[in-house]
Amino acid sequence: MPICKVDGVETEFEPGMNVLQVAELAGKEIPRFCYHERLSIAGNCRMCLVEVKPGPPKPQASCALPAAENMEIFTDTPMVKKARHGVMEFLLINHPLDCPICDQGGECDLQDQAMGYGRDDSRYADNKRAVEEKFMGPLIKTVMTRCIQCTRCVRFITEVAGVPEIGLISRGEDVEITTYLDKAVTSELSANIIDLCPVGALTSKPYAFNARPWELKKTESVDVMDALGSAIRVDARGAAVLRVLPRVNEDINEEWISDKTRYAVDGLARQRLDRPFIREGGKLRAATWSEALDTVAAKLKATPPDRVGVIAGDLQDAESMKAALDLFRSLGVPSTDCRQDGMQLGAGPRQSWLFNSTIAGIEHADVVLVVGANLRLEAPVLNARLRKRWLAGALKVGVIGEQTDLTYPYEYLGAGPQTLAGLGKARNDFVHALRGAKSAAIIVGAGALTRPDSDAVLKAAGAVAKTFGMSWNVLHSAASRVGGLDLGFIPGAGGKTAGELVAKGGADVLFLLGADEIDTSASKAFTVYLGTHGDRGAHKADVILPGAAYTEKDALYVNTEGRVQRGFRAVFPKGEAKEDWSILRALSERLGAKLPYDNLDQLRAKLFADHPSFGRIDHVDGPEAAAGLDLAALGGKGELSDAPFASPVANFYLTNPVARASVTMAECAAQAAGAAKIAAE
């Protein structure tokens, strides 16, 4: 590898690195505003100036200068210090003295670097310029007078999000960042520009004036708004969760999160179930825990096990599903199901329901076939990874299903299963690319696996994957799904599926474990709802047991690639609510079937003993484990219908009880509906 000197110290570096990266390899901190390792190089701010030999006798922007063999880099000479002082002085000429009222205060790059690299005075007394505020939608608050034109927001929206709706207009002193036609940014990743903004020009509109960074308790956790399991940080003050920010996780979300992940958290404080309720005379009344649990226990004791059904929801953690499974299996109940959408997976080998390429590994694919999924709505962060691969000029995508804007070009092959079944014999550019692919992958979405003909669709998809040597990937839309399937939370011998349980006469007692996405209107069963919000599942419930939300418990979640991750409690459950597993533990005593664990550690010990995959935290099997998967054995018999595939996500912002309780998500949904209406006109 080539070698250069950084402040007199020899440093090896990889070919293609710039001077800024080499200096950081040597342990030297280089200030910057516009440079970001995941965005293209702009060279706007000039804050990263260094002195280089051989070269002209003047400071140079290290972000835009390629490093070379035998180059000498100086990061702390008088020339460099004077240049940085000058740059900072220029940046502050027009910057307002807003720090006391700016939401960026306390975590502002401009503040930090002005202290570390700026002058202690200014030679300029000119009037500061003012810039009109811009409308960027319900999520992003703008104070554009603070903007230093680093263009990070422009580059992110254009390059990563793929929705070029922010740009730089005018020249010289009149230059400013704006949205085109003064409309809201429509990307599902738009709020990441708030994190990228190094000053207070772009801040969080829902979080405005709520708290200072040093007032918040910061807790690392895992996102449950989709099945990717993005790494997040939950910031809370007292009993309230005030914001969610991304954590860097190169294997999953890099450092991006979706707008729903970031902003649905205000729903954690609204429409919450904070005490038990019992329905009497058609109306719910508040009850004690003892009353509620005794009522449920009495009903379960009086009901034959084959007339009881348990359905787990999309946000459930592994511990609560394990406790439910242990309890109801001990009672002889065979009808348990975590697939409230009717998915036809769970009986085969584990790799049959995993995203085997892994989320990071999909970047190595050169041809990808997407079946029955709208990646932009179901997994925005994964969609950004595919766009990143496409931008590198190394990816061809084909889609069977909905024809939507995925932010990158793709070949639309057809709408339904007939296209999928005939792909092996088709002759088009995409099939030609598949035959010559070095690393092809198929992504099968929930829209293809939750239909009456899903067995036949699964068989057809497996056949196509085998024909073209594609890696097998299932993209789930529920955070709890893979964990539930790993646990075996599916009907036992003689048991009924979720759809059969909610049908008329399907069950006499229905236990909903946070299940809100299934229609129970036809069921006349006595319904027990254990969950967090007064949402769909609670509307018909005869007994309501208040549980803990994902920010209120230590829990394990398994993402779509089979990676087990730990979420940590940021705040305590609301009111009298308790953690789900502990409610089931208390219920088991009243049923005379006491569960063999008294605390979370004991529960996890049994979980790891019964299902060893849960003990391998942050481990993913990857494509090697799927090499032995018999793709021809996937699915079953049946006829393929002519009905087109449809994504399970109809409204990105309102997919679960937390999001539906969120005022911010309601505003985003209304904004998106208005934008769609204008586009249609």
Side-chain angles (χ1 to χ4, degrees), residues 21 27 85 109 112 122 195 199 248 353 373 406 460 508 513 637:
Q21 292 170 319
H85 284 170
D109 290 351
D112 296 341
S122 176
D195 296 333
V199 295
V248 175
W353 60 73
L406 294 180
D508 293 337
L513 186 62
K637 297 179 180 179

Side-chain angles (χ1 to χ4, degrees), residues 157-166 185-187 376 387 405 407:
I157 287 294
T158 304
E159 297 165 11
V160 179
V163 183
E165 295 172 342
I166 300 178
V185 182
T186 59
S187 171
R376 183 170 171 183
R387 174 175 168 79
D405 178 13
T407 71

Side-chain angles (χ1 to χ4, degrees), residues 362-366 385-395:
I362 199 69
E363 285 192 34
H364 301 300
D366 51 5
R385 276 196 184 264
L386 289 180
R387 174 175 168 79
K388 176 182 173 184
R389 178 70 168 163
W390 169 76
L391 279 175
L395 180 66

Side-chain angles (χ1 to χ4, degrees), residues 322-363:
K322 172 63 175 169
L325 205 58
D326 285 351
L327 172 59
F328 286 97
R329 284 285 190 263
S330 71
L331 297 175
V333 175
S335 300
T336 57
D337 204 350
C338 66
R339 307 163 302 180
Q340 56 180 336
D341 55 7
M343 177 172 280
Q344 300 297 313
L345 275 176
R350 185 173 189 247
Q351 279 66 36
S352 66
W353 60 73
L354 296 185
F355 198 95
N356 292 293
S357 292
T358 73
I359 294 167
I362 199 69
E363 285 192 34

Side-chain angles (χ1 to χ4, degrees), residues 82 85-86 89-90 119 121-126:
K82 182 179 180 181
H85 284 170
E89 192 175 8
F90 279 129
R119 294 166 57 100
D121 64 342
S122 176
R123 293 167 289 179
Y124 298 94
D126 303 300

Side-chain angles (χ1 to χ4, degrees), residues 322 326 486-487 597 604-614:
K322 172 63 175 169
D326 285 351
D486 286 351
L487 286 167
Y597 29 80
R604 282 183 175 167
K606 189 171 192 308
L607 173 65
F608 298 162
D610 294 348
H611 306 278
S613 65
F614 285 90

Side-chain angles (χ1 to χ4, degrees), residues 273-276 286-289 545-547 573-579 583:
L273 302 173
D274 59 358
R275 68 189 68 180
T288 64
W289 270 108
L545 306 175
K574 298 288 183 284
E576 297 177 29
K578 301 183 184 300
E579 294 184 23
I583 297 171

